[in-house]
Amino acid sequence: MKPAIIAIAALAGLSACTQATPPPPKDLPAMPQGTCNADAVQSHVGHKATAASGAELMRLSGARTLRWVPPRSAVTMDYRADRLTVSYDDNYTIVRISCG
């Protein structure tokens, strides 16, 4: 009798995992709009990360904020459409530029 109870419990657990998730509420805020355009600054990958280059990247991308990401750093995954994120290596060479 115990194997039958275990089998029923296992099936009940599986059916709970396969239920469809409900759709998100309709009152969620829209994705923030921003002015960041990382495509406009991809030619700066490989350049040195300096205060002057950061100002130029912001000007060219249209971003309102700039986030420098040093090597081996953790960054938040929050999305900001007006933020330019610039990653650099140990030699202060820009290795990645993205918006968000």
Side-chain angles (χ1 to χ4, degrees):
M1 186 89 168
K2 286 185 182 180
I5 294 173
I6 293 172
I8 292 171
L11 286 175
L14 287 177
S15 67
C17 292
T18 60
Q19 292 179 356
T21 57
K26 295 188 186 306
D27 60 345
L28 285 179
M31 181 62 75
Q33 297 297 312
T35 58
C36 181
N37 177 8
D39 292 338
V41 293
Q42 292 305 309
S43 63
H44 290 261
V45 172
H47 293 185
K48 289 294 179 188
T50 64
S53 66
E56 180 70 2
L57 291 169
M58 286 185 63
R59 184 184 71 77
L60 293 172
S61 69
R64 287 187 235 150
T65 59
L66 174 65
R67 174 170 62 172
W68 290 108
V69 181
R72 297 169 298 283
S73 294
V75 294
T76 61
M77 297 302 292
D78 64 313
Y79 182 80
R80 292 195 41 197
D82 65 339
R83 178 174 59 199
L84 187 67
T85 299
V86 181
S87 302
Y88 59 90
D89 64 13
D90 289 322
N91 297 316
Y92 293 93
T93 301
I94 296 172
V95 294
R96 183 171 186 259
I97 303 173
S98 62
C99 291

